């Protein structure tokens, strides 16, 4: 009978953790004020002609990274002032470490001068991300 209780408790804990992780996936978080220098690859990826550059931090074997790219690429194409860049940090983990990225994909919205506006852990939800970026952008109708 004790084994049954242990099994039930384990299942409840696993479901609770799964629900928590699903709720956090794709959530837009405002940037914490931090004055840090951007790593070289990130600074080079910024588009000075765009109001916001979405820098997607990915790794080679990350399946959700492909989904994030499928969301962010078209979003940037149809939104004026928005640019999307994917950086693969598989062979340069120091880039992810200097940006405090703990999971892939992570998308960081940066201004042309490198100021972080917000970040999204996991696959972003396009409408929510666009709504959060709206004060910084001029959107075309599509």
């Amino acid at each position: 009978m004790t084994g049954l209780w242990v099994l039930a408790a384990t299942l409840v804990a696993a479901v609770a953790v799964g629900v928590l992780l699903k709720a956090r996936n794709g959530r837009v978080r405002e940037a914490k004020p931090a004055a840090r220098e951007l790593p070289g690859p990130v600074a080079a990826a910024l588009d000075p002609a765009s109001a916001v550059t979405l820098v997607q931090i990915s790794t080679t074997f990350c399946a959700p990274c492909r989904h994030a790219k499928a969301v962010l690429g078209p979003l940037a194409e149809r939104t004026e002032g928005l640019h999307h860049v994917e950086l693969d940090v598989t062979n340069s983990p120091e880039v992810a470490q200097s940006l405090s990225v703990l999971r892939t994909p992570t998308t960081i919205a940066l201004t042309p001068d490198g100021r972080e506006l917000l970040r999204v852990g996991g696959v972003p939800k396009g409408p929510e991300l666009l709504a959060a970026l709206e004060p910084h952008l001029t959107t075309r109708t599509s």
Side-chain angles (χ1 to χ4, degrees):
M1 187 66 172
T2 302
L4 187 60
W5 285 110
V6 170
L7 177 64
T10 303
L11 287 174
V12 167
V15 167
V17 168
V19 168
L20 177 66
L21 289 175
K22 183 172 174 127
R24 292 188 62 189
N25 189 39
R27 184 181 62 173
V28 176
R29 293 178 295 149
E30 294 295 321
K32 297 175 187 167
R36 64 174 151 216
E37 190 172 325
L38 292 176
V42 176
L46 294 178
D47 182 9
S50 297
V52 177
T53 299
L54 297 175
V55 179
Q56 178 187 336
I57 307 297
S58 301
T59 52
T60 303
F61 299 106
C62 169
C65 295
R66 290 188 285 278
H67 295 291
K69 184 177 181 179
V71 170
L72 296 173
L75 185 67
E77 287 175 8
R78 70 176 184 264
T79 306
E80 187 176 330
L82 189 61
H83 180 67
H84 171 247
V85 175
E86 183 180 14
L87 290 179
D88 187 336
V89 296
T90 302
N91 297 320
S92 53
E94 66 278 358
V95 172
Q97 184 179 11
S98 68
L99 293 171
S100 302
V101 171
L102 300 176
R103 68 183 281 197
T104 58
T106 292
T107 305
I108 304 172
L110 299 167
T111 61
D113 63 355
R115 185 173 51 92
E116 184 176 330
L117 300 172
L118 55 88
R119 65 174 54 202
V120 180
V123 178
K125 297 170 181 79
E128 288 178 18
L129 179 59
L130 202 52
L133 290 173
E134 192 171 354
H136 309 281
L137 298 172
T138 304
T139 308
R140 283 185 288 185
T141 57
S142 51

